[in-house]
Amino acid sequence: MEYTYEIAVVGAGAAGCAAAIYAGRSGASVAVFDKGMGGGLTLEAPKIENYPGFKSIGGVELAEKMKEHAAEYAEMKYGEEVKELKVTENGVEVITNRGKYFVGAVILCTGAEHRKLGVKGEKEFAGKGISYCATCDGFFFKGKKVAVVGGGNSAVIEAIYLKQIGCDVSVIHRRDELRAEKALEEEAKEKGIQFIWNSVVEEIIGKEMVEGVKIKNVKTGEEKILEVSGVFISIGEEPQNQLAKQIGLKLDENGYIIVDDMGRTSMERIFAAGDVTGGVRQIITACAEGAKAALAAMKAIGKRSPY
C-alpha cells in the first residue's frame, strides 16, 4: 500500500514541531496532527527567558513561531485528533476524527498535562502569578514571597530552587509529613523554607495578579490568607499516553513512554519525543528529542539517516 504520508507526527508542541522540521528537511513527506491548535504546554508560559536566541519571549509567541516553521516542511492538521493507531508489517494506519491515513512511521509527541488544583482563581490567574514550572518562571519572582503547593520530590526541589534564586518560599502540604525524600526535606529546612502542614488551598486571590492564597487546615478547619505574589503548583503531571496504551507500548511506572536515546519505543515504526517520555520536560530538550526521533524515523521508512 502506498503511503499517504511517510511520517505522521502526533502533537504540535515543541517536540512535534521540531520532529516535523527535521523529517521534512530530510526529504520525508510529513503530516502533523493536533486535536487542538498546537503549542502544548509552551502556551502556558507567560515569559520564556531560557530558550537560546530569545532573551525574552512569550510562550504563545514562541509556539506560533515553531508552528509556522514546521508548516514550511509539513502539512499541519489542526483540530484533527488521532483516535487509533494500527501497526502493520509495512506501516501504520492512522485513524482520526476526520479520516484514515497510511504512513511509514509515527512520532508520538502528545505531551503531558499539569495536574490542577481545581480551586477558584486557578484558571483566572494562570500566567498572572500561577505557574507549574519553577525553572521556567521562577526568575520573575526573585525577591518576592511565593507558595509551592505539593509534598513530593518535585515540589520540594522546586521550593529549594526558588529559594536559591532569591524567593521567600512557603510550602503548603495537605499532610503532616512529606512524600519527598527525607534528605530533600532537611535541605529545604536548612535553607529556611517554611512548611505549612495539614493545609489545602481553598482559593487563589488577587485583582490583576495573584496577591495571596486562602488556605484551610484540614484538622482544625481554621482558614487564613497567606500573602504571596506567586503560586507554584507542583502536584504532578499526567502524560498523554492514551495512544501508547492502545497499541501496547512499554511505559514506565509513571506512565511515560520508554524510549532509547533516539526516541525509539518498544515497537517498530513508533517513535516518541518530548514530555510524554518524561525526563526534564523543558522546551529545549523537547525540541532536541523531536529532532532525534525524526532522524531515527527516517531509517524506518527506508531513507538515508545517520542513525
Side-chain angles (χ1 to χ4, degrees):
M1 184 184 295
E2 185 177 347
Y3 295 144
T4 315
Y5 301 96
E6 290 174 303
I7 294 177
V9 178
V10 185
C17 287
I21 292 166
Y22 270 75
R25 284 178 57 84
S26 296
S29 59
V30 184
V32 180
F33 298 89
D34 194 289
K35 63 183 179 181
M37 291 306 293
L41 292 181
T42 301
L43 298 174
E44 296 185 11
K47 283 186 180 179
I48 297 164
E49 294 187 335
N50 57 3
Y51 191 82
F54 299 97
K55 289 183 179 179
S56 180
I57 187 170
V60 172
E61 184 181 359
L62 181 58
E64 287 301 316
K65 287 181 180 294
M66 289 182 173
K67 287 159 53 182
E68 289 173 9
H69 194 174
E72 295 289 320
Y73 300 100
E75 186 171 342
M76 309 298 284
K77 294 182 175 291
Y78 298 120
E80 188 161 359
E81 182 178 4
V82 176
K83 296 287 192 179
E84 187 178 355
L85 299 174
K86 294 182 179 179
V87 183
T88 71
E89 185 178 346
N90 300 316
V92 185
E93 187 176 7
V94 179
I95 302 168
T96 77
N97 59 332
R98 295 182 182 173
K100 296 181 180 180
Y101 308 85
F102 189 66
V103 303
V106 171
I107 304 174
L108 295 174
C109 302
T110 46
E113 289 186 355
H114 298 294
R115 289 196 182 99
K116 305 294 194 295
L117 286 174
V119 300
K120 185 178 179 181
E122 182 175 15
K123 185 177 181 180
E124 292 82 350
F125 291 105
K128 299 178 181 178
I130 291 178
S131 173
Y132 300 88
C133 177
T135 308
C136 309
D137 304 323
F139 183 80
F140 305 113
F141 296 88
K142 185 177 181 180
K144 298 180 180 180
K145 290 185 177 181
V146 301
V148 175
V149 184
N153 283 346
S154 295
V156 180
I157 289 170
E158 291 212 333
I160 293 170
Y161 172 79
L162 290 165
K163 185 72 174 179
Q164 180 178 291
I165 62 175
C167 298
D168 183 351
V169 186
S170 297
V171 175
I172 302 169
H173 186 45
R174 65 184 303 118
R175 299 181 179 85
D176 58 4
E177 62 179 4
L178 298 174
R179 290 178 287 106
E181 296 171 6
K182 201 67 179 175
L184 285 173
E185 180 180 350
E186 291 173 357
E187 182 181 350
K189 289 178 177 178
E190 287 172 2
K191 292 183 181 298
I193 293 169
Q194 302 298 310
F195 287 86
I196 302 173
W197 304 107
N198 299 311
S199 297
V200 295
V201 174
E202 294 271 279
E203 183 181 351
I204 298 167
I205 58 177
K207 295 177 182 178
E208 298 298 318
M209 302 289 288
V210 168
E211 296 177 4
V213 291
K214 181 188 291 185
I215 56 179
K216 178 181 179 179
N217 187 295
V218 296
K219 288 192 172 181
T220 66
E222 179 188 357
E223 293 184 345
K224 66 178 182 179
I225 302 295
L226 177 68
E227 294 184 358
V228 294
S229 299
V231 181
F232 290 83
I233 300 170
S234 185
I235 55 175
E237 288 186 345
E238 296 179 348
Q240 300 302 288
N241 60 12
Q242 295 87 347
L243 288 172
K245 286 181 175 179
Q246 179 247 314
I247 58 176
L249 289 184
K250 288 184 179 178
L251 309 175
D252 68 14
E253 59 184 7
N254 296 311
Y256 293 100
I257 300 173
I258 296 173
V259 295
D260 68 6
D261 60 356
M262 291 301 297
R264 302 179 185 95
T265 70
S266 58
M267 192 172 290
E268 292 291 331
R269 297 183 179 273
I270 305 294
F271 301 81
D275 288 3
V276 75
T277 66
V280 297
R281 299 189 292 278
Q282 294 289 297
I283 296 170
I284 193 166
T285 52
C287 289
E289 291 165 9
K292 290 195 292 183
L295 293 174
M298 294 298 292
K299 187 175 181 179
I301 62 172
K303 293 203 167 183
R304 183 177 294 278
S305 169
Y307 300 98

